[in-house]
Amino acid sequence: MHQLTRQRENWVVFFFALFALAVMLLCSPYYKGLLALKWSADQGRVTPNIADDPKLPFGGDFLSEWVAGGIVRDGDRGRLYDPSYAYEVEHDPARVPFDFDKNALLLMFYPPAYYVLVTPFSYLPLQWAAMLWCALMAVCLIAAAALAAKTCPERPRAFGWCLFMAFLFFPLVHDLNTGQKATLWLLLFTGVFVLLRSGRPFTAGLIFGLVALKPPLAVVLGLAMLVKGQWRFVAGSGITVAGIIGLSFALGPEVFVRFLDWSVHAPDLMLRQEYTLLDMEHSFYSFLALPLREHLPPLVIKSVAGLLTLLTLGIVSLLLRGPIDFRSERFSLHFAGLVLATVLVSPRLLTYDLTLVLLPVFLLARAVALRPAWLEGRRNQLILAAVFLFIGASACQPIAHMTKLHVGTMAMFGVLVFLARVSRTPVPALTDIEASAAWTTSVPMGRVSRECTHTGSDASHCQGTA
């Protein structure tokens, strides 16, 4: 933590992030804090009803959490995954003090345990609950940046750079603006990476189990650890997942069964002609459905998407070929590939969920900054891959809207293939010089060329000339 506070640049970026968050809450079309305060002052009470005929629900997608929490609290748990009932509640002025577009409907896609955990927010007025939610998600982002910077102790300004680049990343801004929670998943994956790097796989598994609150995000990494025989990680994950399933069953077995049925059919929404958000979806389903939905039957699109998913998993198997050493810099690239594969194979993944791509971008940039000897020849390629990934994920939605082509999906798949190739780069042969610290230009035995860096288990695989 000391390295985060000793650099003035880190404090400048931190306050910039807080200022950006305040501006968003005050001026965003989803929050309109300034207008809400004026209405509250005029009426003598807090009210989220800030327009006569709004198109957007106050707080964006957070309304589904707030409504679902109220359903759980009021005892209507059996109808939690009933779309008609959700519509009735969301547009009931007696329960939701906000009137918005009658054609809008926010569905419940998460396990029952998730809605139990967010129930406390339903005790607050919608306006305050939504703003509190947004602030908590911003805290998750700051915590993720702090954890990521912890892996670069020799780069004291890493925290500031992580936070600054995050606020230039469109999916991240879109996530906070629309009341979503992608920064929570970003924090969990970042925490898992840091814990694995520090040699604590069981604790990493406990944290990773929380990703089961959004099950599609848990498939790739969980399957990889199972195949690679990381039993401590698997045991930790199993404990957390068992707790989530138990909490879900607390609402009744029939509710959990309805959730499973709803989850299986949820991706079919993208194949319906009336679904208008395909340019915001970034999975293999949407990659195919956006240009081909009107020309091919759903079964063909599903089949090809399934083949692309299997291809992605095959690339992951090549990426992870051989033993895994969590302390090696090679594992940083492995983890970046696992996160990209997670995004690609998820059956439904919208623009705000691409916030998770910030972690692979950071891991690529980290490899460039640390410059281990075995990656020196790939440095420029790593830079281009990080830039390509950052821009591709940021600009993918408007490009998809104009061209019906998901360049973001193509960028992520291309970088994944690149990582699978780079991770096979041979490590230089052992020499008599071992790296015990970051890049150095002098040691007591004489001058050493800058070809070594501390890379965990790869630290001994350095080359130098005395």
Side-chain angles (χ1 to χ4, degrees):
M1 182 59 69
H2 176 62
Q3 70 167 352
L4 303 183
T5 58
R6 71 184 180 185
Q7 293 293 325
R8 181 176 61 184
E9 292 88 342
N10 288 342
W11 281 107
V12 170
V13 175
F14 177 73
F15 285 114
F16 162 76
L18 294 181
F19 173 76
L21 178 65
V23 170
M24 186 190 70
L25 290 175
L26 292 174
C27 304
S28 162
Y30 287 93
Y31 294 99
K32 295 185 180 177
L34 290 175
L35 186 57
L37 291 174
K38 181 180 183 301
W39 272 60
S40 300
D42 293 342
Q43 299 187 18
R45 62 184 179 85
V46 175
T47 173
N49 191 13
I50 55 177
D52 294 329
D53 185 23
K55 299 296 182 183
L56 307 173
F58 184 84
D61 295 340
F62 171 75
L63 180 63
S64 64
E65 272 87 0
W66 192 81
V67 166
I71 293 175
V72 172
R73 185 191 64 198
D74 295 340
D76 297 329
R77 304 166 182 175
R79 306 186 68 182
L80 189 60
Y81 298 100
D82 182 353
S84 60
Y85 184 64
Y87 179 88
E88 178 184 330
V89 174
E90 290 172 6
H91 293 276
D92 182 3
R95 302 185 67 166
V96 178
F98 186 79
D99 186 23
F100 63 102
D101 186 359
K102 297 299 183 182
N103 295 320
L105 170 62
L106 300 176
L107 298 171
M108 286 66 171
F109 291 104
Y110 295 88
Y114 173 78
Y115 295 113
V116 173
L117 295 175
V118 300
T119 295
F121 287 94
S122 66
Y123 287 93
L124 297 173
L126 177 59
Q127 184 179 33
W128 298 115
M131 290 187 173
L132 175 61
W133 178 264
C134 182
L136 290 176
M137 293 304 105
V139 169
C140 288
L141 170 66
I142 294 171
L147 282 175
K150 187 179 179 180
T151 67
C152 301
E154 69 285 353
R155 297 288 188 271
R157 298 180 180 86
F159 172 74
W161 275 109
C162 288
L163 208 55
F164 178 75
M165 296 305 294
F167 273 90
L168 297 180
F169 194 56
F170 174 74
L172 181 282
V173 177
H174 182 58
D175 171 72
L176 293 177
N177 188 48
T178 55
Q180 273 293 336
K181 48 205 164 290
T183 53
L184 173 60
W185 317 127
L186 177 65
L187 174 60
L188 292 178
F189 273 89
T190 305
V192 169
F193 171 73
V194 173
L195 288 168
L196 289 176
R197 286 272 304 176
S198 62
R200 300 164 65 185
F202 179 76
T203 307
L206 288 174
I207 299 301
F208 177 70
L210 294 172
V211 179
L213 292 172
K214 188 165 184 173
L217 297 183
V219 173
V220 174
L221 182 55
L223 184 61
M225 292 298 166
L226 183 63
V227 171
K228 302 301 288 187
Q230 300 296 323
W231 303 118
R232 294 173 63 189
F233 181 92
V234 172
S237 300
I239 291 173
T240 305
V241 171
I244 291 174
I245 294 176
L247 185 58
S248 295
F249 269 92
L251 296 185
E254 68 284 353
V255 177
F256 190 73
V257 171
R258 288 194 186 99
F259 158 70
L260 293 177
D261 180 68
W262 176 244
S263 299
V264 170
H265 296 94
D268 293 341
L269 290 172
M270 288 184 287
L271 303 180
R272 297 178 182 176
Q273 297 297 327
E274 65 272 14
Y275 187 71
T276 59
L277 300 179
L278 270 180
D279 58 330
M280 294 181 60
E281 298 269 3
H282 305 284
S283 66
F284 284 137
Y285 270 120
S286 58
F287 177 76
L288 297 168
L290 184 59
L292 302 175
R293 184 175 58 176
E294 299 177 358
H295 308 288
L296 294 177
L299 181 60
V300 174
I301 294 177
K302 288 183 179 181
S303 299
V304 177
L307 291 176
L308 289 174
T309 298
L310 292 176
L311 176 61
T312 302
L313 294 178
I315 295 173
V316 169
S317 68
L318 293 176
L319 176 74
L320 300 180
R321 188 169 53 187
I324 293 182
D325 184 353
F326 295 136
R327 294 181 182 273
S328 168
E329 286 308 313
R330 199 180 295 276
F331 175 69
S332 300
L333 300 184
H334 289 170
F335 201 86
L338 288 170
V339 174
L340 289 177
T342 294
V343 173
L344 287 170
V345 306
S346 179
R348 291 196 75 237
L349 192 129
L350 281 87
T351 299
Y352 45 74
D353 291 315
L354 291 178
T355 298
L356 196 58
V357 175
L358 281 172
L359 182 53
V361 171
F362 164 76
L363 293 175
L364 290 171
R366 181 177 179 275
V368 171
L370 296 182
R371 296 177 71 176
W374 63 279
L375 276 179
E376 184 61 24
R378 298 277 193 171
R379 189 167 181 266
N380 291 336
Q381 296 175 12
L382 289 169
I383 294 174
L384 290 175
V387 173
F388 186 50
L389 200 57
F390 188 92
I391 296 177
S394 293
C396 57
Q397 181 182 336
I399 294 177
H401 183 74
M402 292 184 293
T403 65
K404 291 190 176 183
L405 184 64
H406 282 292
V407 296
T409 304
M410 298 168 63
M412 289 183 285
F413 186 79
V415 173
L416 175 61
V417 173
F418 167 73
L419 290 175
R421 295 183 61 186
V422 169
S423 66
R424 309 315 306 168
T425 302
V427 176
L430 289 172
T431 69
D432 293 333
I433 300 174
E434 294 185 356
S436 59
W439 284 40
T440 180
T441 57
S442 63
V443 292
M445 59 188 296
R447 189 170 183 83
V448 179
S449 66
R450 296 178 59 174
E451 296 185 16
C452 295
T453 183
H454 179 67
T455 58
S457 64
D458 287 341
S460 61
H461 301 293
C462 300
Q463 293 180 330
T465 57

